[in-house]
Amino acid sequence: VLTAKEILDFQELIRKIPIADNVLEYAVGLASKTRPGKELATDTVNNYISWGAGPRASQYLVLGAKCHAAISGKYSPDIEDVRAVAKYVLRHRIVRNYKAEAAGITEENVIEGLF
């Protein structure tokens, strides 16, 4: 459907999309909330997550939000775009502990509680 050059061109174009500071801060804060024992961590994270998302998760939340915004016809992503891609970006970057598995708490359940 696309040539290699077209894919590279789209990747370059997406990276050039501007993002507002508040949206950037939201993405960084969202990733930070997944880290147990940290200031922003929720009770659910502290109880059910043994390893949270790292700094690269913030970068990919922003990149995913830019893609989502572009596909949706917007010129810049907003917080809703970050939320739209959060499950996809974060669910494989957090590790549940044994209590979460025993209680049937999924990664998606934890991520939904971050919004």
Side-chain angles (χ1 to χ4, degrees):
V1 175
L2 296 173
T3 66
K5 182 179 179 342
E6 288 172 327
I7 291 172
L8 293 172
D9 290 344
F10 282 126
Q11 287 177 339
E12 183 179 340
L13 176 67
I14 292 298
R15 291 184 188 281
K16 290 180 180 180
I17 293 175
I19 186 167
D21 288 343
N22 69 311
V23 179
L24 181 61
E25 290 168 8
Y26 181 80
V28 171
L30 189 60
S32 297
K33 285 182 180 181
T34 68
R35 299 180 197 133
K38 299 297 181 181
E39 180 182 332
L40 296 176
T42 64
D43 288 338
T44 303
V45 168
N46 286 327
N47 289 327
Y48 297 119
I49 299 298
S50 61
W51 191 262
R56 278 189 301 162
S58 302
Q59 294 171 338
Y60 285 99
L61 282 169
V62 168
L63 194 56
K66 287 180 176 187
C67 290
H68 191 270
I71 289 170
S72 301
K74 295 189 277 186
Y75 294 106
S76 181
D78 57 22
I79 289 173
E80 290 305 314
D81 293 307
V82 176
R83 288 181 178 171
V85 300
K87 285 184 190 175
Y88 306 107
V89 173
L90 296 176
R91 72 176 162 207
H92 70 278
R93 288 182 159 86
I94 59 176
V95 179
R96 295 178 300 156
N97 61 22
Y98 70 93
K99 288 191 284 187
E101 291 183 34
I105 305 293
T106 66
E107 290 86 354
E108 287 85 0
N109 297 140
V110 174
I111 294 165
E112 287 170 3
L114 300 175
F115 302 135

